[in-house]
Amino acid sequence: MPSSFIKDGVERAPHRSLLRAVGVKDEDFKKPFIGIANSYSEIVPGHVHLRELVEYVKKGIKDAGGVPFEFNTIALDDGIAMGHAGMKYSLPSREVIADSVEIMAMGHQFDGLVTISSCDKITPGMLMAVARLNLPSIMLTGGAMRAGFYKGKKVGLVDVFEAVGSYKAGKISENELLEIERVACPGAGSCSGLFTANSMAILVESMGLTLPYVGTSLAESEEKKQLAYLTGKRIVELVKQDIRARTFLTRNSFLNAIAVDMALGGSTNTILHLLAAASEANVQLSLDDFDTISKKVPHIAPIYPGGRYMIEDLHEAGGVPALMKVIKEHIDTEVLTVSGLFIKEIIENASVKNHEVIRTPENPVHRTGGIAILKGTLAPNGSVIKTAAIGDDYYFKGKASPFDSEEEAFEAVIKGKVGEGRVIVVRYEGPKGGPGMREMLDITSAVVGMGIDDKVALITDGRFSGGTRGPAVGHVSPEAWEMGPIALIREDDLIEIDVKNRKLNVLLDEKELKKRSQEWKRPAPKTTSRFLLRYSTQVTSADKGCVLKGS
C-alpha cells in the first residue's frame, strides 16, 4: 500500500512521530490510510452540511478497519458568483480542485480516497482527480436541496433569477420578488433542480463511482447519512481488494453517463466535465459521442427547470437505477460499480414509482436527447444547446445583435433594447477570452422573465447555467478570442439555429468571412488577474473540455 512509504521501517520514524501528533496509535499503522477530500464551506448551501456528513464517512472507515484523514478543498458557489467578475473564476476552480486533491493524496501517500462534494465545479474537479490518481476511490455527493414553495407551487433558484426579469418588466411587485427570494432555497443542498451540481451527481452515480441512490438522495435526509456511512465502509474494502478508480472509468461507463444525461436533459456543462474527466482517465471521448447518443436516447424525465419536477421527485420516482432500467437498451449493464455490483444487478431490483416523472421511451418528453451538438459556419468545431428546454425540432432565423461582454448584453435585454426576431450574440466570454467561460444565467433568466424567450435566441462562446431555459446556444468553438466566426459577426447578420439538422450558421459567404477575418484584431485582455491570465494561456477550447494544455 502507498502508505507504507510514510509509516514502515526505521527510516520512517520521523514520519510516524508526526502522525502520532495527530492521533495515530500503534495499532493504526497496520491499517489502510484513507484520505477524505471534503469541500465543506460556510458560504455554499450545497456544502454547508458536509462537515456533519463527513463524520458518518469517518465512522464507516473506522468500523471497516481503516484510518480516516480529512482535508479540505475550495468550493465556489456559482449562484453567488453569477452576473459579475466572480464567475470568471468558476470553471478555472475545477482545475485547482483537481490539483489540490492530487497534491494531498500524493504528498501523504493515501491508500484510498473518498471525495465529498456537491456543487457545480467541485464534483467535476473531484472526478478529474479520482481519474488522474487512479487510487481505490469512491465519491459521495452531498445531495439536493428541498424544493421551496410559493403560492402552492414548488420553486427553486431559477425562479428567483427569472423573477428579477419579471420585476423589471413590471409583471410582479418588489414585495412579490422578495417573497420568492425568501422561499426558493429553504436549506442545505445543491439547488433543487437539474442544474450542473445535481446533473453531475447523477452522472457519477451512473458511471458507478458512488453507491446506488447517492446521486438523488436529499442533502438533509437520514438516507444520505446512512449512504455516507456505507461509503466509508466500502472504501476500505476497495483498498483491501486493490480495486482502482479506472476499473470503473471505462469508455462504456462514460457512454452510460451520456445516455443518462440525454434521458434527463441535464446541464450543458456536463459535456465540458465528462470530456475533461475522460482526458484524465485516458479515455477517448468527443462531442460526436454526445450527438450520436442524443439521436438515439429520448428525453424522458421533465425535471426542473425544463420541467415541473424537482430532484426530490426524481428520487421518489426511483432515482438513477430506475431511470437506467427504463433506458437499459442504451446502457452497458455489464459495467462494474464501486458497490461491487454490476449495473444489471443494481437495476434488476429498481422500479419506476411515478411514470410522470420517469416516462417510457414510448411516451417521451422529446423524441431525442435533452442536449444537442450543433455545427456549421458559426461553430465549425461545435456548440451545445439544451433541447430539453425548447424541443428537438426548434428552428430560429434572426438578425444578430452582437455584444462583446455579458454585462453589455444583460443591460440591453433589461432595458428592452433587444427586439423581436433578434439573435443575441455574446462573445469574448470563452475559456480564453473571458477568461474563464462565464455562465450567463442572468441573461437567460431576464429573457424568460420578461416574456421574450419565444421571440429571441442567444448564442455565446461562453456557457449557460444548468438552470437555463429557452433557446440558448453555448460553447461556440472556436471562440472569439481565437478568431472563431463568432468574432466576425456584425449587427443584422442573419443567423440560423436548426436543431433538427444540427446546424448553427451565419448566412454569409466565405469571401465575406475571409475579408472580415483579415480586418479582425484581438482585443485587450479583460482582466489583470495573474491567475486568470495564466489560465487563459493554458486552457484548451470548449469542444476539448477546457482542459489545460499538457493534461
Side-chain angles (χ1 to χ4, degrees):
M1 291 191 291
S3 65
S4 63
F5 291 111
I6 64 169
K7 65 186 183 183
D8 290 355
V10 173
E11 298 83 3
R12 297 307 182 221
H15 304 67
R16 291 193 297 272
S17 183
L18 290 167
L19 289 164
R20 290 180 194 278
V22 297
V24 178
K25 304 292 190 292
D26 285 340
E27 61 271 20
D28 293 333
F29 288 108
K30 297 178 182 179
K31 300 174 183 177
F33 282 9
I34 309 298
I36 305 174
N38 187 3
S39 53
Y40 164 79
S41 167
E42 288 188 337
I43 195 170
V44 185
H47 300 246
V48 72
H49 65 301
L50 298 185
R51 177 181 281 175
E52 179 184 10
L53 212 56
V54 75
E55 295 304 319
Y56 289 88
V57 176
K58 289 178 183 177
K59 187 175 189 309
I61 291 170
K62 291 174 183 177
D63 287 353
V67 183
F69 295 93
E70 179 188 0
F71 63 92
N72 285 94
T73 65
I74 61 170
L76 186 149
D77 188 301
D78 276 20
I80 297 173
M82 195 73 66
H84 56 85
M87 180 48 72
K88 293 177 183 286
Y89 292 86
S90 174
L91 187 58
S93 78
R94 185 187 71 177
E95 315 305 317
V96 175
I97 292 160
D99 290 349
S100 68
V101 174
E102 177 188 359
I103 289 166
M104 292 296 290
M106 296 306 294
H108 299 102
Q109 292 293 293
F110 294 129
D111 300 309
L113 188 64
V114 179
T115 67
I116 306 179
S117 62
S118 186
C119 291
D120 294 17
K121 306 308 167 296
I122 300 89
T123 295
M126 300 281 202
L127 174 60
M128 290 167 64
V130 163
R132 183 188 302 175
L133 291 164
N134 197 28
L135 289 169
S137 303
I138 189 168
M139 300 185 72
L140 176 69
T141 49
M145 185 185 292
R146 292 174 289 112
F149 278 90
Y150 179 68
K151 294 184 177 179
K153 175 190 171 187
K154 288 185 177 182
V155 294
L157 180 64
V158 168
D159 290 284
V160 188
F161 276 97
E162 292 179 359
V164 173
S166 295
Y167 170 72
K168 293 284 188 180
K171 295 182 177 181
I172 63 172
S173 68
E174 188 172 354
N175 282 338
E176 287 174 302
L177 173 59
L178 182 59
E179 285 179 38
I180 297 170
E181 172 193 327
R182 284 175 170 163
V183 301
C185 299
S190 48
C191 297
S192 52
L194 194 61
F195 315 131
T196 304
N198 290 320
S199 296
M200 287 305 302
I202 287 167
L203 296 194
V204 294
E205 179 183 335
S206 70
M207 295 172 77
L209 288 170
T210 75
L211 297 180
Y213 301 100
V214 162
T216 55
S217 50
L218 295 189
E220 297 178 298
S221 66
E222 289 302 313
E223 181 183 8
K224 180 65 77 174
K225 294 172 185 175
Q226 179 64 14
L227 287 167
Y229 173 75
L230 294 174
T231 294
K233 291 193 73 174
R234 184 58 187 155
I235 186 58
V236 178
E237 295 167 3
L238 290 169
V239 170
K240 289 178 178 178
Q241 296 167 21
D242 194 29
I243 303 177
R244 297 172 178 266
R246 291 188 190 175
T247 301
F248 315 107
L249 288 167
T250 64
R251 176 169 163 80
N252 283 349
S253 70
F254 277 96
L255 298 181
N256 281 352
I258 295 173
V260 168
D261 203 12
M262 296 304 164
L264 283 170
S267 166
T268 52
N269 287 316
T270 57
I271 293 179
L272 293 177
H273 303 322
L274 289 178
L275 287 171
S279 176
E280 296 284 2
N282 294 325
V283 169
Q284 292 297 315
L285 203 68
S286 72
L287 282 181
D288 291 337
D289 291 315
F290 289 86
D291 205 45
T292 297
I293 294 173
S294 176
K295 291 174 181 176
K296 295 177 182 177
V297 180
H299 173 214
I300 61 170
I303 309 298
Y304 176 86
R308 57 180 285 221
Y309 297 106
M310 300 292 191
I311 295 299
E312 60 192 41
D313 300 311
L314 178 61
H315 188 65
E316 290 169 6
V320 176
L323 181 84
M324 294 183 83
K325 187 171 187 175
V326 171
I327 61 166
K328 64 181 179 181
E329 66 177 288
H330 304 292
I331 297 291
D332 181 354
T333 61
E334 297 295 331
V335 166
L336 182 65
T337 74
V338 291
S339 68
L341 300 173
F342 291 92
I343 294 288
K344 64 181 179 183
E345 296 174 285
I346 293 172
I347 69 174
E348 184 179 354
N349 297 317
S351 62
V352 177
K353 298 176 177 63
N354 187 330
H355 290 281
E356 291 299 314
V357 179
I358 302 176
R359 300 189 187 184
T360 64
E362 294 73 33
N363 180 36
V365 182
H366 299 110
R367 297 187 309 275
T368 59
I371 299 173
I373 308 301
L374 311 183
K375 295 184 178 181
T377 56
L378 186 48
N381 295 344
S383 63
V384 178
I385 189 168
K386 188 170 181 175
T387 55
I390 55 169
D392 40 21
D393 289 329
Y394 179 82
Y395 181 88
F396 192 92
K397 183 191 288 186
K399 292 183 177 180
S401 294
F403 301 93
D404 289 349
S405 72
E406 175 188 6
E407 288 82 1
E408 293 173 62
F410 179 72
E411 184 178 359
V413 169
I414 287 295
K415 291 184 176 179
K417 294 182 179 179
V418 177
E420 183 176 337
R422 307 300 295 192
V423 179
I424 304 165
V425 179
V426 188
R427 59 194 176 193
Y428 297 106
E429 292 289 1
K432 289 179 179 291
M437 202 180 182
R438 284 193 285 183
E439 289 181 357
M440 301 186 192
L441 184 56
D442 274 356
I443 296 174
T444 56
S445 297
V447 165
V448 173
M450 295 180 75
I452 59 172
D453 51 304
D454 60 341
K455 302 177 179 65
V456 301
L458 297 98
I459 293 173
T460 183
D461 54 4
R463 299 181 291 132
F464 291 115
S465 164
T468 291
R469 291 199 289 149
V473 184
H475 306 202
V476 171
S477 298
E479 62 175 291
W481 188 260
E482 297 285 273
M483 203 183 71
I486 192 171
L488 310 178
I489 301 299
R490 295 178 182 173
E491 191 77 20
D492 292 337
D493 284 346
L494 270 179
I495 292 174
E496 175 186 56
I497 306 169
D498 184 350
V499 171
K500 185 176 181 179
N501 294 303
R502 301 295 203 259
K503 295 294 184 183
L504 179 64
N505 290 318
V506 54
L507 303 182
L508 295 170
D509 60 43
E510 192 173 330
K511 184 178 179 181
E512 176 62 20
L513 281 172
K514 185 176 180 180
K515 176 177 176 289
R516 293 185 187 183
S517 69
Q518 292 170 343
E519 298 169 353
W520 177 81
K521 292 182 179 180
R522 178 175 288 149
K526 291 182 175 182
T527 183
T528 58
S529 163
R530 292 183 181 180
F531 169 70
L532 291 175
L533 289 171
R534 185 168 69 247
Y535 177 82
S536 71
T537 63
Q538 295 177 330
V539 69
T540 59
S541 60
D543 62 296
K544 302 298 182 185
C546 296
V547 297
L548 300 186
K549 293 173 184 175
S551 297

